[in-house]
Amino acid sequence: MAVLSEALTQILIPASALIGIGFALLQWLLVSKVKVSADYGKKDGYKDKLIEDEEEGAENADAVIKCAEIQNAISVGATSFLFTQYKYLGIFMVAFAVVIFLFLGSVKGFSTQSEPCTYNPGNLCKPALANAMFSTIAFLLGALTSVLSGFLGMKIATYANARTTLEARKGVGKAFITAFRSGAVMGFLLAANGLLVLYVTINLFKLYYGDDWEGLYESITGYGLGGSSMALFGRVGGGIYTKAADVGADLVGKVEKNIPEDDPRNPAVIADNVGDNVGDIAGMGSDLFGSYAESSCAALFVASISSFGITHDYSAMSYPLTISAMGIVICLITTLFATDLAEIRHVSEIEPSLKRQLLISTILMTAGIAVVSFLALPSEFTLFNFGTEKAVKNWHLFFCVSIGLWAGLAIGYITEYYTSNAYSPVQDVADSCRTGAATNVIFGLALGYKSVIIPIFAIAIAIYISFSLAAMYGVAVAALGMLSTIATGLAIDAYGPISDNAGGIAEMAGMSHKIRERTDALDAAGNTTAAIGKGFAIGSAALVSLALFGAFVSRAGIKTVDVLTPKVFIGLIVGAMLPYWFSAMTMKSVGSAALKMVEEVRRQFNTIPGLMEGRAKPDYANCVKISTDASLREMIPPGALVMLTPLIAGTLFGVETLAGVLAGSLVSGVQVAISASNTGGAWDNAKKYIEAGASEHAKSLGPKGSDSHKAAVIGDTIGDPLKDTSGPSLNILIKLMAVESLVFAPFFAAHGGLLFKLLRTFPDYPMEMWPPSCRL
């Protein structure tokens, strides 16, 4: 038995979650001390040094008032969009909940009789109708938690953006701490809420299920499905919104009118800043919550049909939750290194500080995993391995979680190498702008393809080691290891859009060039950390999808997935095509919306007298409306493709074909997602490299408005939908299809393959009996 008792486990998990929520509230309180009012800076003796670089900009009080107005406009726009989006998602949520209940309830004809357990036929389990009902409830809880995660992230980001701008006037260090603390609020709230809701749901469900842990944890998989389905629409809808505005603002503003980024004369500038919050913050928050929920559900499901579940060892069964609880505590300690134990004094220290967060959290978490593995697990136990039992020791699971954690760090650092303008790959892309946009695009695509190599090897090594040591459960906890430091990862990720917004507000408020330089430095580091965050999300999605795939194969009763079988192979090749179909839909959606945005921005510059001279205000609301309408309309077809594919494949073609679809989409989707995200990130930072002019090489390519800079802007606009719409959404595609297949596996196993069953009912007449016209 484990050293950690059930009672202590029941205390430690919710206590860690509550500590995380408390720490998030503390960070929010510290951020809120920065007042967005005309009296800003007078109380603490900053008044004299506050405006040391401000002679060129607006007056102090005027600048603060403008900051408050702009912040309010961004916040109102983001809140309005999300509320409208959530109305649509609410309808979908209810409709899909009904589908789950009807499909799963029909497995045994809506019977209320107890049934022999699937994996232990000698025992009786709760009826299929109960599993249908509780899976539906879990789905709704996961969906609501996902929506809450995204919405809270957006509110925090819009609260912090102007405060980061104002702190930039005291120095880059103060602005960095404000942006990072704001990111930490989101990171800790999401990690703690996700853990707490899952813990409470399991304990409430247990009141009904009792000793039927197989049924309990099978129904809990609905929690992961709810989280990811909301994340898909959030990522796609938010990505279309933000990139339509961004492309429109850049192409007309920078390339045609030669005005700075975030210039208040640009009609699309408010929509662009709103988009950072609804796409990069709300969408990303829901996405990572979905990954966390699915990896936890996959591990819990496999454990429930292993010795942990059979012997009802609660401490060992709760190992995935205990790992997440330890992660919250480790991330809390790590955050203090950035906010309290070290101070940023120069812009060159920003990126190293963020990278140290990843390294410190990984080292400390490795020790934390060792503690949890040796206290929460028995020294020896068995795990389900496709119909057999695999003998495993507790140190095996320590290595499985650790390999996932360190693979995540490797993917993060490789992503940073390929997307940061401090290294040669991005500098080469920037240099290619000398000869125009075409060579920039060629170099950027090549960089993206090359950046796939090492992350795929890292994922492959993690899969091989974890599967060899602990079968499919090892892969599931490796994914959980990669996500165990999710609070720090999200803090770093959310820091980027907050800094981007802060720079936009500084430009629109008319602050001095040096203030903008500081916010640009924060933003450039944020672009790289956002790419690192996407790398983590994609890597963890690959591991999560494989674990869910294994759970689906087990639950559907498939003995082997043989790719030489026609049923499997057709699924494999169609599944490999799906990421391209999905990417085509999302890219086209951004392109269509951007087209309308470009036309609207041009129209306003051509028809509003005095707009270019700054004497008239643009119509921001019209551009916001274009982005809103496009995203709400265009998010439905890609979402329907992902949600309907498993249902159609499983119902019409059966579980073997669906297994092929899942394998094909996983293998293809990971490659496309990494390539798209890194290509877009590299183009963005190549543009910023030229704009900053921080080296002799960069100066030779600039300044802003030069032909090289215009070529870089074109590359950046091509990369926008790749890195912020298609790329990040693909990791949701592969894991959402896998978790949906797992939830519906009982139905597919009982009633799936209708088309093949129908073909088998036709009599096999010899050719001589065919009508003459039908003979060969």
Side-chain angles (χ1 to χ4, degrees):
M1 289 295 288
V3 175
L4 203 63
S5 68
E6 178 177 344
L8 196 55
T9 305
Q10 290 273 25
I11 293 168
L12 288 176
I13 293 171
S16 296
L18 292 172
I19 287 169
I21 292 170
F23 185 72
L25 293 175
L26 173 64
Q27 298 302 305
W28 177 81
L29 191 66
L30 292 170
V31 171
S32 68
K33 288 185 176 179
V34 181
K35 302 297 180 188
V36 184
S37 68
D39 295 328
Y40 172 78
K42 294 182 181 177
K43 292 180 182 176
D44 302 321
Y46 287 115
K47 189 176 179 183
D48 293 330
K49 59 180 180 179
L50 202 65
I51 315 295
E52 56 183 349
D53 306 310
E54 198 73 18
E55 293 83 2
E56 316 152 39
E59 290 299 316
N60 181 18
D62 287 346
V64 177
I65 291 166
K66 281 183 183 175
C67 281
E69 288 173 356
I70 298 160
Q71 179 198 38
N72 184 60
I74 294 169
S75 180
V76 168
T79 305
S80 173
F81 170 75
L82 286 184
F83 273 135
T84 308
Q85 185 185 50
Y86 292 157
K87 285 178 188 174
Y88 285 86
L89 294 186
I91 296 166
F92 159 79
M93 203 161 66
V94 173
F96 203 74
V98 172
V99 171
I100 293 171
F101 181 76
L102 293 176
F103 272 55
L104 296 185
S106 67
V107 171
K108 299 288 183 180
F110 297 96
S111 168
T112 56
Q113 301 298 313
S114 294
E115 301 281 343
C117 297
T118 306
Y119 299 95
N120 293 291
N123 297 336
L124 282 179
C125 284
K126 299 294 181 185
L129 189 63
N131 280 1
M133 184 174 70
F134 281 98
S135 294
T136 304
I137 294 169
F139 166 79
L140 292 171
L141 284 170
L144 289 170
T145 311
S146 180
V147 164
L148 182 67
S149 300
F151 186 76
L152 286 176
M154 181 278 296
K155 293 305 284 184
I156 292 154
T158 54
Y159 183 81
N161 50 18
R163 287 167 168 80
T164 303
T165 306
L166 294 173
E167 288 292 270
R169 303 161 85 188
K170 300 176 188 175
V172 72
K174 297 281 186 186
F176 170 81
I177 287 174
T178 302
F180 189 80
R181 277 191 170 136
S182 306
V185 177
M186 179 183 179
F188 281 93
L189 273 182
L190 186 143
N193 281 340
L195 176 61
L196 192 61
V197 173
L198 185 55
Y199 168 81
V200 170
T201 303
I202 290 169
N203 280 280
L204 289 176
F205 282 19
K206 200 191 288 184
L207 296 175
Y208 170 78
Y209 278 99
D211 290 338
D212 178 14
W213 284 19
E214 183 183 307
L216 165 63
Y217 289 102
E218 185 177 312
S219 64
I220 285 293
T221 56
Y223 184 73
L225 175 58
S228 256
S229 57
M230 292 299 106
L232 174 71
F233 289 104
R235 264 292 194 195
V236 173
I240 293 168
Y241 185 109
T242 182
K243 292 305 114 182
D246 200 357
V247 171
D250 282 358
L251 283 179
V252 182
K254 288 183 179 179
V255 178
E256 295 180 10
K257 297 297 180 182
N258 205 20
I259 59 176
E261 187 168 0
D262 298 312
D263 192 295
R265 293 170 291 178
N266 195 325
V269 73
I270 292 291
D272 185 9
N273 281 281
V274 168
D276 290 337
N277 295 288
V278 299
D280 295 345
I281 293 282
M284 176 260 302
S286 294
D287 179 5
L288 284 177
F289 165 76
S291 289
Y292 163 75
E294 284 162 333
S295 58
S296 300
C297 291
L300 289 167
F301 174 76
V302 177
S304 71
I305 56 178
S306 303
S307 62
F308 299 158
I310 295 164
T311 60
H312 297 97
D313 184 346
Y314 183 83
S315 295
M317 188 72 211
S318 300
Y319 178 70
L321 303 184
T322 315
I323 288 288
S324 299
M326 175 63 78
I328 290 172
V329 176
I330 294 297
C331 290
L332 190 153
I333 297 166
T334 306
T335 301
L336 298 177
F337 281 90
T339 57
D340 297 272
L341 301 178
E343 187 180 347
I344 302 290
R345 296 183 182 278
H346 190 265
V347 293
S348 61
E349 298 171 13
I350 298 169
E351 206 166 300
S353 176
L354 294 169
K355 283 168 62 181
R356 274 197 304 275
Q357 285 284 296
L358 289 174
L359 185 61
I360 293 166
S361 63
T362 302
I363 292 169
L364 293 178
M365 191 62 205
T366 306
I369 293 164
V371 172
V372 172
S373 299
F374 291 107
L375 292 181
L377 296 171
S379 57
E380 289 187 46
F381 45 91
T382 60
L383 291 170
F384 183 84
N385 183 24
F386 299 111
T388 62
E389 295 293 322
K390 183 178 178 67
V392 179
K393 299 182 186 298
N394 53 12
W395 61 268
H396 289 171
L397 286 190
F398 162 71
F399 277 110
C400 289
V401 183
S402 298
I403 194 77
L405 177 68
W406 284 90
L409 184 71
I411 291 169
Y413 275 7
I414 290 299
T415 303
E416 190 239 359
Y417 173 73
Y418 279 105
T419 57
S420 170
N421 56 30
Y423 303 105
S424 60
V426 171
Q427 291 174 10
D428 288 344
V429 172
D431 191 67
S432 71
C433 294
R434 290 177 187 276
T435 49
T439 45
N440 179 30
V441 170
I442 293 167
F443 269 70
L445 289 172
L447 178 148
Y449 298 148
K450 192 176 179 183
S451 71
V452 172
I453 299 167
I454 297 176
I456 291 298
F457 275 118
I459 292 168
I461 291 166
I463 289 169
Y464 181 80
I465 293 174
S466 56
F467 190 87
S468 299
L469 291 174
M472 231 10 122
Y473 186 76
V475 178
V477 294
L480 204 62
M482 202 176 277
L483 292 165
S484 59
T485 54
I486 188 172
T488 294
L490 262 172
I492 292 170
D493 213 342
Y495 154 90
I498 291 169
S499 300
D500 191 2
N501 260 205
I505 291 170
E507 183 72 43
M508 286 186 276
M511 291 185 173
S512 76
H513 178 64
K514 289 201 173 181
I515 301 299
R516 183 68 216 229
E517 278 184 352
R518 290 170 185 168
T519 56
D520 278 352
L522 294 171
D523 182 25
N527 271 341
T528 304
T529 58
I532 291 171
K534 289 177 187 116
F536 265 94
I538 295 163
S540 63
L543 296 177
V544 168
S545 300
L546 182 58
L548 291 165
F549 175 71
F552 162 74
V553 168
S554 302
R555 184 64 187 85
I558 305 171
K559 290 185 171 59
T560 56
V561 180
D562 184 358
V563 295
L564 295 177
T565 308
K567 283 184 185 179
V568 175
F569 193 81
I570 60 169
L572 193 69
I573 200 163
V574 170
M577 171 273 297
L578 286 175
Y580 294 94
W581 188 1
F582 179 85
S583 297
M585 293 169 90
T586 51
M587 292 283 286
K588 181 78 181 294
S589 298
V590 172
S592 300
L595 191 67
K596 291 178 184 173
M597 188 68 73
V598 167
E599 288 171 349
E600 173 60 19
V601 174
R602 281 176 180 163
R603 183 193 68 78
Q604 292 198 32
F605 273 120
N606 292 332
T607 59
I608 299 177
L611 178 57
M612 195 61 192
E613 294 74 25
R615 297 195 309 271
K617 278 191 174 183
D619 181 3
Y620 298 124
N622 220 24
C623 291
V624 169
K625 186 178 185 303
I626 288 172
S627 272
T628 301
D629 291 347
S631 64
L632 294 175
R633 183 179 62 254
E634 301 286 352
M635 73 179 181
I636 295 168
L641 173 69
V642 177
M643 299 300 293
L644 294 177
T645 296
L647 292 177
I648 294 170
T651 305
L652 296 182
F653 300 98
V655 289
E656 291 91 350
T657 303
L658 179 54
V661 169
L662 296 180
S665 64
L666 166 59
V667 171
S668 167
V670 172
Q671 329 276 338
V672 179
I674 294 172
S675 169
S677 294
N678 290 349
T679 295
W683 274 327
D684 195 352
N685 273 344
K687 176 199 71 176
K688 283 189 164 51
Y689 175 75
I690 294 172
E691 289 175 347
S695 66
E696 289 302 317
H697 176 241
K699 285 175 185 172
S700 71
L701 298 169
K704 289 182 182 180
S706 66
D707 288 342
S708 295
H709 178 246
K710 286 180 179 178
V713 171
I714 291 168
D716 177 36
T717 53
I718 297 169
D720 276 335
L722 286 172
K723 72 180 173 68
D724 289 321
T725 310
S726 297
S729 301
L730 280 173
N731 68 72
I732 305 175
L733 174 144
I734 58 176
K735 64 191 180 185
L736 177 52
M737 290 207 308
V739 74
E740 186 180 344
S741 301
L742 174 59
V743 169
F744 286 98
F747 175 81
F748 296 148
H751 304 301
L754 292 178
L755 197 59
F756 291 131
K757 287 176 183 175
L758 187 65
L759 290 173
R760 281 200 297 270
T761 62
F762 287 112
D764 189 13
Y765 292 115
M767 192 179 292
E768 292 76 20
M769 297 179 67
W770 291 10
S773 60
C774 297
R775 295 177 191 175
L776 294 175

